[in-house]
Amino acid sequence: MSKILRVVRPNILANLNYGLRRNLQTSTKLCLDGVKVRSKYPGALDSYFSHELKFITPTEAIDTYRVMDENGVISHPENEPGVSQEFATKIYQDMITLNSMDNILYDAQRQGRISFYMTSYGEEGQIGSAAALTPEDVIYGQYREAGVILHRGFTLDEFMNQCYSNMHDVGKGRQMPVHYGSKKLNFQTISSPLATQIPQASGAAYALKMEGKKAVVMCYFGEGAASEGDFHPALNMAATLNCPVIFYCRNNGFAISTPSNEQYRGDGIAARGIGYGVDTIRVDGNDVWAVYNATKTARARALEHNKPILIEAMTYRVGHHSTSDDSTAYRSKQEVEDWKRLDNPITRTRKWLEAKGWWDQTKEDEFRKKIRKDILTAFSKAESVVKPPVEELFNDVYDTLPLHLQKQKREMEEHVKKYPEFYPTKAFAQKN
Amino acid sequence: MIKLLNQRSLVNILSKNNVLPSSRLLLNKKFHASASISAESPPPAEGFHPGVAHSQFIKKNRDEALRNPELIGTGVEHGETKKLNLFQSVNDAMSIALATDEKSVVFGEDVAFGGVFRATMGLAETFGKDRVFNTPLTEQGIAGFAIGMAAMGHTAIAEMQFADYIFPAFDQIVNEAAKYRYRSGGIFDVGGLTFRSPCSAVGHGGLYHSQSPEAFFPHASGLKVVMPRSPIQAKGLLLASIRDRNPVIFFEPKILYRAAVEHVPVGDYELPLGKAEVLKSGKDVTILGWGSQIYALENAIQIAEEKFPGLSCELIDLRTIFPWDVETVVNSVNKTGRLVIAHEAPKTMGFAAEIASTVQEECFLRLEAPIQRVCGYDTPFPLVFEKFYVPDMHRCFEAIKNAVTY
C-alpha cells in the first residue's frame, strides 16, 4: 500500500483530500469509500491524514504481567513455568545466597573492612531473568545485578575477592567493590558511569548476529539510568539495526533519593519502547516466574526476528542505594518495612515452592545455615589475601606497556624504595 | 633548494574542489562567502604560496613513494603505486581492512552512500550493507555501539562526521573505551576499535567544522591518537590503527582530502604508530607539527632558510599524537638546542604544552632558547577571521626567527 501511494503524484493526493474533506466531514479520518488516505511523507508512511486537530495524550498505563501473587499463588495455570524442582530450587537458593551475602558484606562495609557495597534487597527476582538465558548470552549490567552473575556461576570466592580487591580479583583490584565481571560467564565488567553499557549492548548484539551465534545480549539498567542520553541511541540503534538484545529495566522507584515521579512523567520506561519500535512488556519484578517467562519469550523473539525487546520489571529498592546512602533521609522506614513484609520476591517464591512440596522449613534452615557459613568462609579467606602486585597499577592501560608508562612505573618504584615507611607495601603481593 | 610556489594557492584549490561538502549545518552559501573572502586576501608574502600540492613531502611518482624505509618488509616496497588523494587512500585502507578481516565493519552517519567526504565510497556495494552501514544520528550511540562490537572481538571502524561532533561521545570514549581493558583486569578489551574523524581548518568551517580536538584525548589514559599528513601516511597509519589492539582515534585533516595527492602503494602496508618521522634533517632548530600543519611549517622553513642563509631546520611530523615519540623529538632537540611546535588547536592545554614541558625536562641543559609554541588562539574557531586565527607560515616563520635569534 505504502509503496503504491509513494508513486502517486502529490497533486492527485491533494485533489483526493480536498474531495474527501468535502464529502466526509463527519469522519475522523479522511476516507473515500471507506478507504483512508495515507500520508505520503517519508518520515511516517504508515500515517493517515485526519481533519481532526487532536493532540495525542498519554492514556492508560501498560499492564504489569504477573504469574503469581504475593502469596505465591498462580491464578492462570497456563502461566505456570514448566520447570523442574532442581531448576526452581536453584533459583530460590540463589535468592537466599544473594540476600545472605548482602547482609554480610553490608555489615563488613559498616565495620570498615571493605570500602563500599551495594545490596540487591527486594530485587532478587532478577534471578528469574538470568535463569531464562543460556551461557552463550552476553550480559551487560549496571551494578545491582549480583544475582544474575551469581546464578551464572560466579563463586563466593570471586565475589569476595573483588570486594576485597585482593590479588585473586580478576579485576586486579582496580575498581570499586561490586564492579564484577567474568569472561568465563559472559558477563561484561561493570563500570560506574550509568547507562553507558546500553548502546554497547546494542553493538555487542549486532556482533553476535554477524557471527550467526544463537545468542542474545541481555542489558540491565535502572529507571534512573534510562534518563541518560545513552538510553536513547541504544534503543534506537538496536531497532534500526535489528539487534537481538533484551533491554531489562529494573524500575525500583528510586534513583538514589530521586523518586520515579521526578525521573519521568510518561508511563514508566516501558511506554518509551513503543516509540522506538521496540516490542515491550512490563512485568512484576517481584514475581520470579513473570520475570522468567517474559525473558524466555523475549529471548526467543529477539533471536527469531533479530530485534530488540524491552522489559520493564517493576520492583522496589528495599535497601539503601549504597553504603554511602541513608535512605531514611528521603523515605519513611514504614514504607520500606511494608515492602519487606508484604511483597518480597524471596517470600513469594518460597510460598510457591512450599505449595509444590519442593521446600520446607527444615530445608530453609539448613540451607540458610550452610550458605551463611560458606559466605563467611569465603569472606575470611578473601580478607587474608594480599592485594595485587603494585606494578599492576600500570598494566592493561594499553595492550603493552608504552615507554612513558615504563618510565612512570620506574619512578614510582624508586620513590617507594626511597620512602618505604610511607607506603603499605607489605599489604601487596611481590612482583609477578 | 628553495622552490617558489607560484601556482594556485590552497584556498583556491579548496574553493574550486569544494572540499567541504554540504553537511547538516553548512549551507552551500558559505562556500561562496569563503571564495569572496579569499579573493580579498592579501597576496602571499615572500613569494610563497602555502600549498600541499607543491610540497616536497608529497610523493610524485612510484620511486619516491617506495623510497620510504618504513615500507621495507611490508611487501609493497617493490609493488605498484597509484595516484590517490587523501580521502581515496583512507577508502583504500578501509577496503583492505574489510577484505582482510571478516569481523571488520564500517559505520557512522551517512557512510553507506559513500560518506559526506566520499571516504567510504563503494564499500557498502563491495562488502555488503551488513558490514558498511548508516547509523542514526547519534555520536554517543555510535561510540557505544562500536565499543560493544569491539568488546565482542570485532573490528569496529566508526566514523564521527566531523571531529567537532565527537564531544557527545566523549563519555563513551574517555570513561568506557579508554578504560575498558584496565578496569576489567585485562579480561575484556576494545582493541579492535578505531574512530575516524575529519578534523582541522578548511578555510570556512567556522566553529563546528574546523576543530582540532586531539589534545582532549591523551589525558584519558588508554587511547591512541593519530593524525596523518598525506595519502601514503593516511593509508599506512589507518591500517595500523585499525589493527592496533587499543582504541585509536584517527583524525583526518579534511583540508587534505582532495588537495593532497600522491603516489600510494597499492598493497597492504602499515606505518608504525608511536613513531615520529623526521621529514627534513637540520642542525639549528627542531620544528615539530602534525597533520596539515606540516605544510605551513614546510613553507615557514623555506622562508627562514632563505632569510637566514646557512640556517638549517629539522622538521618532524609527530604523526601519533599519543603515545608520542619522545625519543625522536628529544634526540632532535638535544642536537639543535631549539624547538618550535605548531598546531592549529588553541594554545592553552594544547598538545604543544605537553611536548614543551617534557622537552624542558629532558633537554634542559641543551635548550638555547625558550620553546616556541605557534598555535590557534584561545578562542573558538572563527569563520571570517580564519586567516588571522590559524598558525600560518608567517606566524610559524616568526616563531622560528624568535627561536634562532634569541
Side-chain angles (χ1 to χ4, degrees):
Chain A
M1 179 74 179
S2 63
K3 274 182 187 162
I4 297 165
L5 277 175
R6 252 191 276 189
V7 298
V8 175
R9 279 178 303 170
N11 63 333
I12 294 177
L13 283 173
N15 290 339
L16 190 62
N17 293 344
Y18 178 69
L20 290 167
R21 208 173 298 127
R22 275 188 315 171
N23 298 330
L24 302 163
Q25 293 287 333
T26 53
S27 165
T28 306
K29 309 278 186 193
L30 294 170
C31 298
L32 182 60
D33 298 330
V35 179
K36 293 174 189 171
V37 178
R38 277 183 195 262
S39 145
K40 61 187 180 298
Y41 298 109
L45 285 170
D46 290 338
S47 174
Y48 291 93
F49 286 111
S50 161
H51 69 260
E52 222 180 338
L53 198 166
K54 189 177 75 179
F55 292 94
I56 307 299
T57 53
T59 50
E60 57 189 294
I62 294 168
D63 291 341
T64 304
Y65 169 71
R66 161 180 276 197
V67 170
M68 61 182 171
D69 65 15
E70 287 86 345
N71 297 311
V73 176
I74 291 180
S75 56
H76 292 70
E78 71 274 17
N79 285 339
E80 173 97 32
V83 298
S84 68
Q85 178 177 353
E86 189 193 5
F87 186 87
T89 314
K90 153 89 173 135
I91 290 175
Y92 179 67
Q93 289 178 339
D94 285 344
M95 292 167 99
I96 297 181
T97 305
L98 175 61
N99 184 259
S100 309
M101 189 172 74
D102 279 351
N103 289 336
I104 289 166
L105 289 176
Y106 183 84
D107 289 347
Q109 194 283 332
R110 300 280 93 168
Q111 296 162 8
R113 295 162 84 172
I114 58 173
S115 59
F116 179 78
Y117 194 68
M118 302 179 102
T119 66
S120 300
Y121 295 137
E123 298 185 43
E124 294 88 351
Q126 60 178 245
I127 293 173
S129 67
L133 301 174
T134 71
E136 290 74 37
D137 296 331
V138 172
I139 294 184
Y140 277 87
Q142 178 169 303
Y143 48 59
R144 216 183 296 282
E145 293 87 12
V148 173
I149 193 169
L150 170 75
H151 186 78
R152 288 215 144 191
F154 209 56
T155 66
L156 295 176
D157 286 334
E158 286 172 311
F159 279 110
M160 302 301 154
N161 291 337
Q162 200 282 328
C163 288
Y164 266 111
S165 315
N166 69 25
M167 67 174 290
H168 300 314
D169 169 25
V170 288
K172 301 181 183 169
R174 293 178 185 139
Q175 287 215 85
M176 285 171 76
V178 310
H179 290 56
Y180 309 120
S182 171
K183 181 105 179 160
K184 173 181 82 209
L185 302 176
N186 254 334
F187 192 102
Q188 293 283 314
T189 302
I190 300 291
S191 73
S192 308
L194 288 182
T196 48
Q197 80 279 14
I198 319 179
Q200 293 172 15
S202 301
Y206 192 89
L208 295 183
K209 183 178 79 169
M210 265 187 78
E211 285 171 49
K213 277 199 179 163
K214 288 285 161 222
V216 302
V217 175
M218 181 72 163
C219 178
Y220 297 87
F221 52 91
E223 90 286 352
S227 295
E228 290 284 0
D230 277 331
F231 169 87
H232 161 65
L235 270 78
N236 200 29
M237 292 181 82
T240 55
L241 296 166
N242 308 310
C243 305
V245 50
I246 305 171
F247 299 107
Y248 186 103
C249 178
R250 300 176 290 98
N251 190 336
N252 63 15
F254 293 91
I256 307 187
S257 74
T258 307
S260 50
N261 65 359
E262 292 173 22
Q263 197 65 247
Y264 51 73
R265 199 44 54 95
D267 177 23
I269 309 306
R272 299 181 200 168
I274 317 299
Y276 291 108
V278 171
D279 292 2
T280 299
I281 189 169
R282 172 176 285 153
V283 304
D284 183 341
N286 285 4
D287 173 353
V288 75
W289 298 129
V291 169
Y292 172 77
N293 285 353
T295 310
K296 199 175 170 199
T297 309
R299 185 182 185 278
R301 278 173 87 95
L303 262 186
E304 187 186 349
H305 305 292
N306 272 328
K307 63 178 184 180
I309 313 273
L310 173 63
I311 299 175
E312 183 183 26
M314 310 311 290
T315 182
Y316 186 88
R317 196 195 78 212
V318 173
H320 302 300
H321 164 69
S322 73
T323 47
S324 308
D325 170 54
D326 173 10
S327 66
T328 58
Y330 49 83
R331 61 183 188 182
S332 73
K333 275 186 175 166
Q334 189 55 46
E335 180 186 316
V336 175
E337 283 307 311
D338 287 350
W339 276 100
K340 266 193 207 169
R341 194 166 46 82
L342 300 174
D343 188 8
N344 180 298
I346 299 181
T347 320
R348 267 203 225 189
T349 313
R350 179 175 171 185
K351 285 176 176 170
W352 179 85
L353 280 170
E354 287 183 347
K356 285 245 171 212
W358 290 354
W359 197 254
D360 56 33
Q361 191 62 45
T362 317
K363 284 183 179 167
E364 176 84 10
D365 293 343
E366 274 173 15
F367 185 76
R368 279 194 180 267
K369 201 174 150 193
K370 177 193 171 289
I371 202 67
R372 191 177 158 75
K373 193 168 156 261
D374 290 351
I375 294 166
L376 286 171
T377 305
F379 179 82
S380 308
K381 200 163 98 187
E383 193 170 29
S384 67
V385 174
V386 291
K387 309 296 180 208
V390 181
E391 63 169 353
E392 289 294 354
L393 188 166
F394 295 96
N395 294 335
D396 301 321
V397 178
Y398 294 91
D399 57 340
T400 55
L401 205 59
L403 288 171
H404 71 286
L405 285 183
Q406 290 178 26
K407 188 178 171 214
Q408 291 173 22
K409 186 178 149 192
R410 270 197 310 277
E411 284 170 8
M412 186 271 284
E413 286 168 349
E414 282 161 17
H415 176 79
V416 172
K417 207 180 261 178
K418 198 169 169 191
Y419 298 98
E421 67 274 31
F422 300 122
Y423 298 93
T425 319
K426 285 197 179 71
F428 293 82
Q430 293 307 300
K431 270 189 182 186
N432 280 337
Chain B
M1 185 68 192
I2 295 163
K3 189 175 171 189
L4 288 175
L5 306 176
N6 53 6
Q7 298 184 35
R8 289 183 304 173
S9 75
L10 184 56
V11 170
N12 286 333
I13 293 166
L14 288 173
S15 52
K16 280 180 188 161
N17 289 354
N18 206 13
V19 160
L20 196 64
S22 56
S23 77
R24 60 182 184 270
L25 282 182
L26 214 65
L27 302 173
N28 278 330
K29 267 194 282 191
K30 288 188 183 161
F31 295 113
H32 304 308
S34 144
S36 65
I37 292 163
S38 66
E40 291 157 13
S41 302
E46 321 294 346
F48 285 98
H49 294 260
V52 57
H54 312 289
S55 167
Q56 291 170 30
F57 307 132
I58 288 289
K59 310 300 182 189
K60 290 164 195 69
N61 54 54
R62 178 176 174 270
D63 285 351
E64 281 185 38
L66 298 180
R67 211 174 289 146
N68 183 349
E70 286 178 338
L71 294 178
I72 293 167
T74 62
V76 301
E77 65 269 39
H78 306 298
E80 283 312 303
T81 60
K82 67 183 165 191
K83 215 170 163 186
L84 299 178
N85 65 26
L86 195 132
F87 85 65
Q88 291 165 332
S89 78
V90 165
N91 181 287
D92 195 29
M94 283 191 282
S95 185
I96 290 172
L98 287 161
T100 53
D101 174 3
E102 60 176 21
K103 282 192 163 188
S104 59
V105 285
V106 168
F107 57 91
E109 295 156 12
D110 307 300
V111 303
F113 88 110
V116 298
F117 288 108
R118 319 314 290 144
T120 51
M121 281 242 284
L123 297 181
E125 289 80 354
T126 309
F127 298 98
K129 59 184 174 22
D130 289 342
R131 294 185 65 199
V132 181
F133 53 91
N134 287 341
T135 66
L137 207 162
T138 164
E139 286 76 16
Q140 69 192 99
I142 292 167
F145 196 89
I147 291 168
M149 288 205 78
M152 296 298 109
H154 285 240
T155 304
I157 308 164
E159 179 178 308
M160 299 284 165
Q161 201 163 80
F162 285 83
D164 311 65
Y165 305 127
I166 203 167
F167 299 107
F170 203 60
D171 183 41
Q172 284 285 355
I173 296 173
V174 166
N175 272 331
E176 296 290 315
K179 298 168 175 54
Y180 216 92
R181 187 194 310 266
Y182 189 75
R183 74 187 187 200
S184 72
I187 60 170
F188 296 113
D189 69 75
V190 291
L193 175 59
T194 306
F195 291 116
R196 286 180 45 243
S197 192
C199 72
S200 303
V202 70
H204 49 276
L207 276 73
Y208 306 111
H209 297 81
S210 309
Q211 293 181 53
S212 298
E214 68 269 17
F216 284 96
F217 297 97
H219 207 63
S221 310
L223 300 170
K224 293 191 178 182
V225 183
V226 178
M227 200 190 288
R229 68 166 186 278
S230 76
I232 292 178
Q233 294 291 314
K235 181 176 171 182
L237 290 171
L238 181 54
L239 275 168
S241 298
I242 290 167
R243 291 160 178 170
D244 187 85
R245 298 316 301 161
N246 298 283
V248 180
I249 305 178
F250 190 84
F251 287 120
E252 298 161 6
K254 63 176 110 43
I255 200 163
L256 303 178
Y257 272 142
R258 290 166 193 267
V261 182
E262 67 182 347
H263 276 260
V264 179
V266 294
D268 183 345
Y269 69 95
E270 293 173 30
L271 293 173
L273 300 188
K275 193 91 194 72
E277 186 181 6
V278 180
L279 289 175
K280 174 184 178 307
S281 287
K283 57 179 177 45
D284 300 320
V285 55
T286 300
I287 318 285
L288 180 62
W290 49 88
S292 48
Q293 190 62 32
I294 289 296
Y295 304 103
L297 289 171
E298 181 186 14
N299 284 287
I301 290 170
Q302 287 177 336
I303 300 173
E305 292 186 346
E306 188 189 51
K307 289 212 168 196
F308 299 96
L311 175 70
S312 147
C313 303
E314 180 146 307
L315 177 61
I316 300 177
D317 178 1
L318 194 61
R319 300 195 292 185
T320 301
I321 315 299
F322 199 77
W324 63 289
D325 186 353
V326 179
E327 191 187 4
T328 298
V329 176
V330 163
N331 285 347
S332 173
V333 178
N334 275 337
K335 178 177 67 175
T336 62
R338 293 178 170 87
L339 175 62
V340 175
I341 315 163
H343 60 58
E344 246 177 56
K347 184 171 189 177
T348 299
M349 304 288 283
F351 202 69
E354 176 61 35
I355 296 168
S357 83
T358 303
V359 168
Q360 180 271 141
E361 282 172 6
E362 301 290 330
C363 312
F364 185 69
L365 293 176
R366 282 293 299 126
L367 282 172
E368 293 171 37
I371 296 168
Q372 306 290 312
R373 286 186 285 158
V374 203
C375 310
Y377 298 112
D378 290 340
T379 68
F381 198 108
L383 178 71
V384 76
F385 311 116
E386 178 167 323
K387 285 199 166 302
F388 300 91
Y389 174 87
V390 294
D392 65 3
M393 63 173 175
H394 308 296
R395 286 180 59 202
C396 292
F397 161 72
E398 188 67 11
I400 297 171
K401 191 176 89 179
N402 289 342
V404 297
T405 58
Y406 184 78

